[in-house]
Structure formats: C-alpha cells, structure tokens
Amino acid sequence: MPKQSKKRSLRHNMVHCLKCNKPQKCISVHLRRVCMKNNMPEEQATELAEMKDSARLWILESRTWEYKEICEILPHKPSRIALLKAILQRGFLVNNPPHEGDLSDAPAPSSSPAASISEATSSTTAAVSSEPDSSSDPDAGPSDPTWQKDLPAVTTKVRTKMQAAGLYKKFSGDAEVIKDFKKYLSVDLDVTNCQQEVDNVARFLRYMQPTGDVPTLDFLKKSTDTRDFFQDLKNTDMTAATILNYIKNILHFVDYLRNRLALVATNSEFRNQCQAYKELVETLRKAIFKTNSKDSLSTRYQRFVDGTRSLRECQEVLRVAEKEFLHIFGMLINKDSAKVSAQQRTYYRYYLEAILVLRHFQRPGAVEGMSVYTVREWLDRKPVDNVRVIGISNHKTATTQLASFAISQEEEAWFQPYYKHIRPGFIGDLDSCDRFFTSAKGTAVSSVTNDLGRMHESQVANEICVLIYKVSNVTSQEVRRIAQTEVDSTFTTSQKEGVARRYMAQRYMAHTTAVAKTHYRMLDPASVVQTAVLLGKLSGCSPQRASQTDEASGQQEDRTFDSFIAAFPVTNDGRPPSQKQRTDAGFSPDRTFCDKWRGLQYVNRRRYLLSHFQMRKPAAGSVSRAIAKEGWQTNHPSADEVVKMWRPASRENVEGDKHVINSVDRQKWKGVAIKDFGGEKGLGVVATRQFARGDILCDYHGEVITAKKGNKKMPSINDQAGYMFFFTFREKHLCVDAQSDYCKCHPQLETVGRLINHSSKRPNVKPAACLLNINSKDTTVILFKALGDIKVDEELKFDYGVKRKSFRGEGLDLQWLEE
C-alpha cells in the first residue's frame, strides 16, 4: 500500500475515546486498560459501540465543511486562507471552496499588464497607513486574532466591526496609483472632496492584497474575493446605501485604470479584463441595490405611518435636560465649580453642543471646528442687537466658506462658564489651550454626532439622584431637513427673499457642497442675526428671547455685571454701592451684583497683600500689621490665609528655558490672545488658560535698538511713540521698537505683548529683561511674568511707569526690569 493511502487508512481506523478525548489505535484495549478498567465487560462493550457510532457520524457529517460557514466564523481573509489550507491538509473536505488562485496571498509572477503596473509603482515606497500594517506581519494590528478577543462580543458600531474584520486597513496615500487616482478624481471628474472615495478604494485594495507596500492590480482576477469583500461589509451591519457607495468608488477606480494609466491604456487584453471585472461588480450591485430599495421604502413607509416629527419634538432633549443643565450652571457661577463632577462637566459640554446643532442648526463639522484654534474666534464674537455673532473658519462643512451663527445673551452666559471654569480643567497641553471645545482628556472633540447620541441617552448624577433621559435620538441632518421644510412652509415671500436671499438659510446652517458651488454672497453679522431670529421663531427660541426674559431666567448677573463694574469700579479702598446707589444707576436693588463686587475686592486685597511679601514668607503678625495699616475692617483675607497661600517667587533660569526661547523665536505664545474691547479702550490681551504666579506669559517683541537711536525716532512717529519701550539692562540703555503691528522677523504674525494695557493700581504681569540665546545669537528680550494667579479670560495689565516715562524717553532707569 502506498504511504499516503496507508496514512489515510490509519486515520480512518482511529477512534477517539469519548472519556479522555484522545485518539486511540485500538479503542477496546484502551478502554480495558485505562478509561474503563474498573467497569464490567458489558459496560465496556456498550461504550465501545457508542464511540464507533460517533466516529462513523463524524466521517459522514462533521468531516465536511462549507466554505461560507468558514467565512462567517473567520472574516479575516489571511487567517481564513491559512485555516482552509490546514484543514485540507488534515483530510477534511470543504464544499464550494474558492478559486485555487485566490488561495495565494502573494501575487504570482506574470507578464500581464497588471505586473507591468506593479513594476511601475514599486519604485514608490508607501508610508505607514493610519492603521497598523506590516509587510513582515500581515496579521498585525486590528486584524490580529488576539486583538479581536479584546472587542466586545456584540457591538453596533460599524467602524469597530470593520476593524475587527480587517476591513479598515488601507494602503498609504503615498502609493503612486493611489495618488494618481486622487488626481484623476479631482481634476478629470471634478470631485470636490474625494478623500473619502480614495480611502474606500485603498481599503478595498488592502483587503484584496493583505501583504506588500505597493498595490498591484491582481484583484482583477479575484472574483471570489470581491464577493467576499462585499459580504464582509454586509456582516459589519453596514447599510446597503454605504455598500453601494463602495461599489461606485471601485467602478471609478476601474474606469481610471482603463482610461488613465499610460502603461495599459493601449493594451486591449487588459482593457477587456477591466471591462469583465466591471461587469462582475455591476452584477453584484444589482442585488445590493434591491436591498437598498427595500430599506428605503421601509424607512419612508415608517415615516409615513409615524408622521414627521416637528421641530419642537426634535428639540425635546434640550427642554428635558435643561433643569439639570441650569443646576450645573448655577454651581459654576456661584463659585461652587469644585463641586461639579467630571461627568457633569462633560454633560455641560454635550448640552452646549446640542444647542448649536438642534437650536442653531449647525452641522457637526462646524461644531467640531470649535475644538481647533477657536478661542480667538470666541473672543472676537460680535455684539449685534443684543445677540452675539460667532464665525468659525476652521470646520469640515466647506472649504471656502465661513460657518456663522448668532447666540442670545442668555446662551452667551451659558457658554462663558464653560470657557472660564470647565475648559481650563480639560486643557492637557499647550496645544489644547487654543481650543474652545475640548474633551475631558484635553483632545479635540472627534464626533459631535456621538456626543449628541449620548445626550439623548444620558445618565447624569447629581447630589440628589441619577437622572436618566431616554429621549428619541435626533440627527443633525434630520433637524436641518425639518427646519428647512418649515422655513419653506412658514416664511413669507419677503422673508425668504429679503432675509434668506435664496441660500441664506442654508448658509446659516453651516453650508452644503451645493451651496458652496453657487455664487457666494458674503454673510455680514447683521444678516446672520436676521436669519437667526427668523429660524428661532420656528421653535420659539429666537436669539432676542433672552433680552425679554432676563429677570425671569435669573441669569442677569453675568450679562450686565461688566456694566455694573464700569459704574462702580472695584478698588482696594472702596465700599460696595448702597441699595439707593444701585437703584439710581438702573440696576436691580437685590444684592447679587453687590456680593460679586465684594468677592472681586476680596481677591484683589488678597493679591495686594501677597505682593508685599514676594521674596520671603511672612509671619502672621506681619500680615496683620499690613492689614491694620490699610485700615480694612471687613471683606479681607485673614493673616493665616495669606500665609497659607504664599508661594516663593520663581527663581528658575529663564534664559535656559527651551519653551521660552522657542516661543520668542516663533512668536507663538500659548494661552494668551488679543481681544477687542471696543470703544476707546480698543485692543487688549487676555489669558485663555490659567497661569500661576511667576509663569512667563509672553514677551514685548520688536526691534531692539539703542536708546539714543530710539530718541531720534521719537519726533517722527507721533501716535506710535507709546510702543517705544526704553529701559536699562546691564548698564546698557536700550529700546524695543514695537511701533509696527508686524515686525521684520515675523511679517505674518501680530505680536501680542505690545498690546497689553496699562494699570498702575491692578497690574497682574510684570516685565523683566533677560538675555536669551536665539538661533545662536544673544538677544535682549523683555518677558512678562505673572504677579499672581491669573484666571481664564482675565485681561493682562502692567504698570507702564510714572507718567509712562519709559515710553517717552524721559526715564531710562527702570529698576523693576532687572531682578
């Protein structure tokens, strides 16, 4: 008997012992000697008969596998092919196996045009894609079977399922074919935003070719794998509409191969191969298209039966969750922010995002844009008719337009505590301090849609109970579609044409691609307000509502406290205004503003006392004498409190701090921004994150010249003389010439330090001269240090000197510059 036949015969005569689950050459002897040696012969005979019947049943049924069943058990193709080869070698039978050519992971050598393309593109080294990938270990990363064990057993997230099935890996965009395909889409087909289509094709090619860095065209021969790809997409619970989109992208890629590639454009055999593959994909599309049609009809029928939701129903979550939101808001403005839990802080951000999406009809991409360098845009919000207009330049909804919307003063009062109290605690690094919306980890908000879903299914714990809001989920697309329908049915012709101006409502809703391609009419703040007012009337949430219900809402404090401070300035020696003074000035007679005024005075007095003891920790008696000397009887910190809060002045070597050197060199200071205060005050500088005493905030940047040269410039510069900073450093009389908005070394950047305003009574920063080595050159620089703790949105001020002598060239010896 040949060796192979003898091996198969031996395998067929083997019987597994059901007691120890091991194969035995002679099962009867095994039972007598091992597993059933203490049993009666009759019992051994009965067990032997059952084991032989089990072996026959395995040969008849369990030895045969269906390839479709293997695909369902193991979606990852390389692992599936490896398993298939292993079970075939062990004598198992597989029904409906794939084509023999599809069993090979590595592309076979060929002289076909596909091989020519591979050789043509092999000179380009593909960069590592966004998902882990390695030519030496094709199963590494999300497709690794060991990684799949860490996934939840059941999940509804399509993207997570795609990663688990190995469908999310893709070729790098640096591959020659991928780059040329992207150019083909953008130039020849005029596809405005083609990155998603390129990514879909890159994922498809990686699925068809699990190994290698350069994509080949061997997928044209793999019909079974193509079917598997679409079946695997379906197994991830991806909708039929999205699968059809993948098919459309693949067909575009095949058309690109036929018409664009110079190496194969004239090869009739390859063109015929592309045509055959295209017909295969179109055949598969027909079945998926039927499924999509059924799904669409089912969805439309359900909407028809259920009826379209009104705009008020879409905004139900805002009303249901408002009570808890206002509870958190009250703790934030009443100096109880320490009691707000981390979950409540995140919930507060969710609610603000929901306001922008559900009430102001902004696309998620526009709201996500507020987590990328938008602190300056928040500070630059424009007051128009008792509302605030905000523009977001960096967003995902269009490439050339500005996302703009208008919020009421009431809503502004809600956003401000998040900016001042919640956001600073989320800031993780210096890069995140320029973001308005930021996650609890300090990163940018990645998906407002997911945040909105969590808001509808939210569980929020407060000191009383756990609140659960089970409100039906609403997508941004649905609420904007319903709003647009109500606009068409509710607005008059004059409102549509006079205010909406054909596309005004759509532009207010953060734009669409179709609107971006039309004639663009620049939105001005007044037009934004008019559109916002009209859209607000649809659900009774006009931006002007807050101005009519200020007292009823109880939120007047933060809206008019600035004017209260302007009428009654906070000073260390002053007294809070009496009830008659408050009433005569047009303010409410209650003590709300008065108590907050006293709170500011308390903080200023504490800062004033600490400034007297910068170099040495004071004794309680010394602080008590300082308090008595000022004549303060009430509303001042105790001596023990001042001693406890005292911190030594920073003595670190600033001249060797790499962060300070890089910030001066690049003029990109994190945590400070320019703000327009309006009126005569004009521009100033505010902090966008918290600073501790001794921190470096920015520098007074400009050309450093001699004092003699600066004095010669003085008569000719007139109004800009205030930007000439004269000082003495290491026995040298120098001057920083910062009269130009943009310096010579940074012509594209507006420097910050030159715009810090003056205050002789309440300065919070102090200039200090030092010598920094910048680009291997010693440069004299004036840095601004924090005199005490600085809060978010606090304006930076420093004492210019007596009668601004240092700026007029009259007093060059400023001793406070050198420490």
Side-chain angles (χ1 to χ4, degrees):
M1 180 182 293
K3 182 181 293 186
Q4 183 67 20
S5 300
K6 184 177 180 180
K7 181 178 180 182
R8 290 185 178 178
S9 176
L10 180 63
R11 182 187 298 131
H12 295 168
N13 291 330
M14 298 285 290
V15 177
H16 271 72
C17 175
L18 300 181
K19 297 290 186 180
C20 62
N21 199 25
K22 293 181 180 179
Q24 305 297 332
K25 294 182 179 180
C26 187
I27 188 65
S28 58
V29 175
H30 170 75
L31 292 177
R32 281 198 311 270
R33 296 180 177 179
V34 182
C35 286
M36 300 186 70
K37 61 182 179 180
N38 296 325
N39 294 70
M40 299 295 291
E42 293 79 3
E43 294 175 338
Q44 295 175 1
T46 302
E47 188 67 25
L48 177 62
E50 291 182 2
M51 292 182 181
K52 288 184 177 181
D53 289 341
S54 175
R56 294 190 189 97
L57 184 64
W58 178 84
I59 294 174
L60 290 175
E61 298 180 2
S62 301
R63 188 184 173 201
T64 304
W65 282 79
E66 285 289 339
Y67 180 67
K68 182 178 180 181
E69 185 178 359
I70 297 177
C71 294
E72 293 176 354
I73 296 174
L74 198 59
H76 184 231
K77 182 187 171 185
S79 302
R80 182 172 72 243
I81 296 301
L83 175 64
L84 181 62
K85 292 179 180 179
I87 63 177
L88 289 175
Q89 290 174 356
R90 284 165 174 75
F92 285 84
L93 303 177
V94 178
N95 291 334
N96 302 316
H99 189 272
E100 186 174 350
D102 295 337
L103 295 178
S104 175
D105 288 337
S110 173
S111 59
S112 65
S116 301
I117 291 298
S118 303
E119 296 171 0
T121 58
S122 61
S123 59
T124 302
T125 302
V128 179
S129 63
S130 58
E131 289 78 26
D133 185 26
S134 172
S135 59
S136 61
D137 183 9
D139 294 337
S143 301
D144 190 354
T146 59
W147 180 87
Q148 294 182 33
K149 295 178 182 178
D150 298 332
L151 289 175
V154 178
T155 177
T156 58
K157 295 182 179 179
V158 175
R159 190 170 298 180
T160 303
K161 287 189 173 184
M162 288 181 66
Q163 290 178 338
L167 296 169
Y168 216 70
K169 296 172 67 176
K170 61 184 179 181
F171 277 104
S172 169
D174 294 335
E176 194 67 30
V177 172
I178 302 296
K179 287 196 299 185
D180 199 42
F181 175 58
K182 184 175 182 179
K183 184 179 179 181
Y184 168 78
L185 292 174
S186 58
V187 177
D188 292 9
L189 300 186
D190 193 24
V191 179
T192 306
N193 187 3
C194 61
Q195 187 58 48
Q196 184 62 54
E197 182 167 352
V198 173
D199 290 343
N200 290 346
V201 171
R203 291 190 181 98
F204 167 73
L205 293 177
R206 173 52 76 187
Y207 178 92
M208 304 296 285
Q209 181 189 332
T211 59
D213 294 334
V214 180
T216 66
L217 305 183
D218 291 333
F219 73 91
L220 295 171
K221 305 175 184 178
K222 299 180 179 180
S223 57
T224 303
D225 285 354
T226 303
R227 291 188 177 91
D228 291 344
F229 176 74
F230 296 124
Q231 182 60 41
D232 289 349
L233 290 179
K234 184 178 179 181
N235 293 339
T236 62
D237 296 335
M238 183 179 288
T239 62
T242 307
I243 297 177
L244 287 174
N245 194 48
Y246 267 88
I247 291 178
K248 182 181 72 172
N249 302 155
I250 294 171
L251 291 176
H252 279 171
F253 184 67
V254 175
D255 288 338
Y256 151 76
L257 296 178
R258 294 181 60 197
N259 304 322
R260 182 69 177 266
L261 290 184
L263 293 175
V264 298
T266 58
N267 190 303
S268 58
E269 180 183 354
F270 179 74
R271 291 175 64 85
N272 292 336
Q273 191 176 13
C274 291
Q275 181 61 31
Y277 188 82
K278 185 176 180 180
E279 292 174 358
L280 167 69
V281 175
E282 289 176 342
T283 302
L284 298 175
R285 180 168 63 173
K286 292 180 181 178
I288 301 174
F289 184 78
K290 291 181 180 179
T291 303
N292 182 57
S293 299
K294 292 179 180 179
D295 293 343
S296 299
L297 287 175
S298 177
T299 302
R300 291 171 184 174
Y301 174 76
Q302 195 62 39
R303 288 179 181 173
F304 175 78
V305 173
D306 297 340
T308 303
R309 283 190 283 191
S310 66
L311 197 58
R312 180 176 178 82
E313 292 173 328
C314 292
Q315 298 171 343
E316 179 66 19
V317 69
L318 295 177
R319 289 182 289 276
V320 172
E322 185 176 23
K323 183 177 180 180
E324 174 63 18
F325 172 77
L326 292 179
H327 170 70
I328 302 173
F329 172 71
M331 288 193 293
L332 292 175
I333 65 174
N334 291 325
K335 299 181 181 180
D336 291 334
S337 58
K339 298 181 181 179
V340 182
S341 66
Q343 185 185 22
Q344 288 176 316
R345 292 171 183 266
T346 301
Y347 170 85
Y348 196 91
R349 172 171 64 84
Y350 288 169
Y351 193 92
L352 296 180
E353 293 174 1
I355 288 176
L356 296 179
V357 173
L358 300 180
R359 182 178 294 175
H360 294 284
F361 314 115
Q362 295 300 299
R363 290 176 179 267
V367 182
E368 291 164 10
M370 295 187 71
S371 63
V372 184
Y373 308 119
T374 52
V375 167
R376 177 67 184 272
E377 293 171 343
W378 168 254
L379 296 175
D380 288 343
R381 58 191 184 278
K382 301 296 182 184
V384 180
D385 296 337
N386 295 325
V387 300
R388 300 295 183 269
V389 179
I390 303 171
I392 306 300
S393 59
N394 193 335
H395 56 90
K396 303 177 182 179
T397 60
T399 56
T400 59
Q401 298 189 13
L402 183 73
S404 54
F405 52 90
I407 62 175
S408 66
Q409 290 182 345
E410 180 183 30
E411 291 168 338
E412 182 189 28
W414 294 344
F415 277 82
Q416 190 65 9
Y418 169 82
Y419 171 68
K420 296 182 66 174
H421 302 295
I422 295 180
R423 175 185 155 275
F426 286 168
I427 294 176
D429 52 25
L430 292 177
D431 291 332
S432 62
C433 66
D434 290 333
R435 301 174 182 142
F436 186 82
F437 282 136
T438 180
S439 68
K441 297 180 180 179
T443 59
V445 176
S446 58
S447 178
V448 170
T449 301
N450 290 343
D451 293 348
L452 194 62
R454 298 186 189 103
M455 184 71 194
H456 285 89
E457 292 287 335
S458 183
Q459 297 186 17
V460 182
N462 59 19
E463 68 273 9
I464 302 176
C465 62
V466 176
L467 305 177
I468 303 177
Y469 307 128
K470 296 286 185 178
V471 183
S472 179
N473 191 24
V474 179
T475 63
S476 63
Q477 183 179 9
E478 179 182 4
V479 72
R480 282 184 288 105
R481 182 178 63 247
I482 294 173
Q484 189 61 53
T485 302
E486 295 195 15
V487 165
D488 294 336
S489 61
T490 306
F491 281 13
T492 64
T493 304
S494 60
Q495 288 174 332
K496 291 179 182 178
E497 296 181 356
V499 178
R501 279 280 184 162
R502 189 181 180 189
Y503 288 109
M504 187 69 73
Q506 293 96 322
R507 284 182 182 145
Y508 182 89
M509 296 178 188
H511 327 299
T512 62
T513 303
V515 174
K517 292 182 178 181
T518 61
H519 175 68
Y520 181 65
R521 178 179 179 270
M522 181 62 186
L523 282 176
D524 57 274
S527 300
V528 174
V529 172
Q530 289 176 327
T531 305
V533 170
L534 281 175
L535 294 176
K537 290 179 180 179
L538 296 177
S539 56
C541 297
S542 174
Q544 293 180 343
R545 177 171 66 99
S547 62
Q548 301 168 358
T549 59
D550 284 347
E551 292 186 5
S553 63
Q555 308 304 330
Q556 188 177 7
E557 177 180 355
D558 265 21
R559 289 194 297 275
T560 59
F561 186 67
D562 288 342
S563 57
F564 186 84
I565 292 296
F568 307 104
V570 179
T571 62
N572 287 339
D573 301 326
R575 285 178 166 273
S578 63
Q579 182 178 359
K580 184 178 185 305
Q581 289 174 319
R582 298 195 299 270
T583 305
D584 292 343
F587 296 98
S588 174
D590 61 50
R591 294 184 55 85
T592 304
F593 288 169
C594 186
D595 291 341
K596 191 168 184 179
W597 188 97
R598 288 170 57 83
L600 290 179
Q601 186 187 61
Y602 184 92
V603 173
N604 291 344
R605 286 179 171 180
R606 183 178 60 193
R607 182 182 300 156
Y608 178 79
L609 291 173
L610 288 171
S611 66
H612 281 67
F613 310 100
Q614 295 186 14
M615 304 306 297
R616 185 177 301 174
K617 186 174 183 178
S622 301
V623 179
S624 299
R625 287 191 292 272
I627 295 174
K629 183 178 179 181
E630 296 295 334
W632 300 335
Q633 300 297 325
T634 59
N635 198 37
H636 63 79
S638 64
D640 293 337
E641 181 183 355
V642 174
V643 173
K644 185 177 180 180
M645 294 193 64
W646 182 87
R647 296 291 183 273
S650 175
R651 296 180 181 275
E652 61 183 6
N653 184 13
V654 178
E655 297 183 357
D657 192 320
K658 293 183 179 180
H659 167 68
V660 173
I661 295 174
N662 290 335
S663 299
V664 173
D665 183 28
R666 300 176 183 177
Q667 279 303 294
K668 292 185 178 180
W669 293 96
K670 300 293 185 179
V672 292
I674 300 173
K675 179 178 180 179
D676 189 354
F677 291 93
E680 297 181 357
K681 187 172 184 179
L683 299 178
V685 181
V686 295
T688 62
R689 69 177 180 92
Q690 294 176 341
F691 288 94
R693 180 181 177 182
D695 286 348
I696 302 298
L697 285 78
C698 60
D699 68 323
Y700 194 91
H701 194 72
E703 183 183 3
V704 180
I705 59 178
T706 62
K708 184 177 181 180
K709 187 175 181 180
N711 279 319
K712 291 182 179 179
K713 287 187 174 184
M714 291 293 292
S716 61
I717 56 180
N718 298 327
D719 294 338
Q720 297 295 319
Y723 296 107
M724 302 288 287
F725 196 118
F726 291 85
F727 63 101
T728 300
F729 179 67
R730 295 183 181 178
E731 299 181 356
K732 293 182 179 180
H733 301 298
L734 303 173
C735 172
V736 178
D737 182 3
Q739 56 181 313
S740 300
D741 292 342
Y742 304 93
C743 61
K744 296 180 180 178
C745 50
H746 301 89
Q748 304 298 327
L749 296 176
E750 187 176 14
T751 56
V752 178
R754 61 189 295 275
L755 296 177
I756 297 179
N757 287 321
H758 162 72
S759 175
S760 60
K761 296 182 179 180
R762 292 186 295 170
N764 53 9
V765 295
K766 175 182 178 181
C770 65
L771 193 67
L772 300 181
N773 188 282
I774 301 176
N775 297 325
S776 301
K777 181 181 178 181
D778 290 338
T779 306
T780 303
V781 178
I782 294 179
L783 300 175
F784 286 105
K785 285 186 176 183
L787 288 175
D789 294 341
I790 297 177
K791 299 179 180 179
V792 177
D793 208 32
E794 182 177 347
E795 184 184 2
L796 306 185
K797 298 179 180 179
F798 80 99
D799 190 357
Y800 287 173
V802 180
K803 297 182 180 180
R804 302 180 68 174
K805 289 183 178 180
S806 64
F807 289 88
R808 298 299 180 182
E810 300 174 12
L812 303 179
D813 188 13
L814 300 181
Q815 297 179 356
W816 39 261
L817 274 173
E818 297 193 58
E819 295 182 346

